[in-house]
Amino acid sequence: MQTLLFTGPGGAGRTTLAAATALAGARRGARVLLLTTGGEAAEAVLGTALAADAATPIAPGLHARRIDSGERFRQEFLAFQERAGAALDLLGAAPLDEDELTELPGSEPFALLHALRTEHASGAWDLLVLDMPPAAETIRLLALPAQVRRYLRRLLPPERQAARALRPVLAQLAGVPMPAQKLYEAAAHWERELAAVQRVIEAPGTRVRLVTDAGPLAQAQLRPLRAGLALHGRHTDAIVVNRLLPTGSADPFLAGLSGGQQTALKALREEFPDVPVHEVPHLGRDPQGVDELDELIDGPAGEIGDTGPGGDPWTVEDRLAADGILLWRVPLPGASREGLGLVRRGDEIVVTVGPFRRIRTLPSALRRCSVSGAGLHGGVLDIRFTPDPGLWPQSGAAGPGESS
């Protein structure tokens, strides 16, 4: 299964291009589902109302579904309230009824990730196309499962569940019920759900497509976004430049606008030489309905492309024999030294790129080393590790894939 995530700085028409790409996949014979939180915008583009609880047929092979984050919030809150019932009773809390629950800010990312995981597991589709939020929000959303799982492991370590056999005894001694078991059960449920979502996000067939206009700020806007995506290991498979005006107009006003777009387009190609930059013409109107989306399919907007590279892009390079170090190579295309941060915390490394941050557990070989330096060269952050003599095997240095 392929999964395409459409995002961008915002306002460049990502909903339209996500729908056009989904339609193109269906025209090629694939079973395609378009997932969107766009609501009215997506319905206007597709020319039909969308259901939230089931996929709506749009065209042969193409279905679309609107994600209802409010309904998802209510379902999850009631389920959590039931699982945490013992703790709430201990605190004397009064449960909330379904009809008094209103969606809270921040619930939309969880609803979107749940829909992605559910539809991916269904096996009903060959291609999932997601109309994502603006890029900065999308990057944080893609990082969310791994981050929350880390928080859960720190706050509720799974190994402490071994003491649950003592809880009935402790409850008798204390004279009150012990809610810890329910708390750990809730944490285990979240861990399973988050792990499943993370597997989908990190799958080789999951790629990100950036949508932008050809304005003067396009290059500067996309640079930190691509670096943020790379920080979290997400492959940008293409940049789609939308609403390009025709060149060679006799009208000085249109010629000036088109000239500015072509200048921005050239800058984008120079900035991202390793990423395909697709051009989508301006139709003179906002496409509405399948017939008008068909006009975009013949161009690069409809290309699905290859699945892109898979696996973990963070690689360990063994330079022990030549330089006495191990090198952890972190691809960060678009990153600059300004706003780049690197901190080691025990067996973890914290990398910051502008407003984005990622915490990674060190591979086993690097845990026995100290950080001896780092440098950003050609869009790759090289972190140098020197073996700690007190921890490194004395009989011979183990390579990055070996353990002692």
Side-chain angles (χ1 to χ4, degrees), residues 126-332:
D126 302 311
L127 172 66
L128 288 178
V129 179
L130 272 73
D131 174 21
M132 301 290 286
E137 185 179 343
T138 290
I139 294 170
R140 296 185 180 94
L141 186 153
L142 297 177
L144 188 147
Q147 290 175 339
V148 176
R149 291 180 71 196
R150 179 177 179 272
Y151 298 157
L152 286 174
R153 288 192 296 269
R154 290 287 297 273
L155 297 174
L156 296 168
E159 58 270 16
R160 292 187 183 177
Q161 297 186 52
R164 62 181 178 267
L166 297 176
R167 289 176 191 138
V169 178
L170 295 175
Q172 291 179 4
L173 294 175
V176 295
M178 302 296 289
Q181 179 63 27
K182 288 292 185 181
L183 187 60
Y184 276 103
E185 289 176 356
H189 168 76
W190 291 333
E191 166 66 23
R192 289 191 299 271
E193 290 293 314
L194 291 166
V197 174
Q198 188 174 347
R199 285 193 295 270
V200 175
I201 291 174
E202 296 178 354
T206 298
R207 294 161 293 133
V208 178
R209 191 162 292 186
L210 292 174
V211 179
T212 184
D213 57 19
L217 300 179
Q219 180 184 10
Q221 287 177 325
L222 291 186
R223 187 184 300 121
L225 298 178
R226 190 184 175 205
L229 288 167
L231 175 66
H232 293 286
R234 294 303 88 223
H235 172 60
T236 302
D237 84 323
I239 295 171
V240 185
V241 186
N242 196 20
R243 300 172 183 149
L244 285 172
L245 297 171
T247 58
S249 173
D251 186 320
F253 179 74
L254 291 178
L257 290 178
S258 175
Q261 287 187 333
Q262 292 302 311
T263 299
L265 186 61
K266 179 182 177 182
L268 285 172
R269 295 188 185 280
E270 293 174 350
E271 176 76 21
F272 308 108
D274 57 327
V275 178
V277 178
H278 296 328
E279 303 176 30
V280 179
H282 201 307
L283 297 182
R285 64 190 183 282
D286 292 328
Q288 295 186 358
V290 171
D291 291 340
E292 296 189 3
L293 286 176
D294 268 323
E295 297 183 41
L296 298 176
I297 286 180
D298 292 336
E303 294 180 358
I304 295 178
D306 299 328
T307 57
D312 187 356
W314 295 38
T315 57
V316 178
E317 186 175 319
D318 186 349
R319 294 190 181 178
L320 290 173
D323 305 315
I325 63 171
L326 296 173
L327 203 63
W328 206 8
R329 312 207 72 196
V330 183
L332 294 177

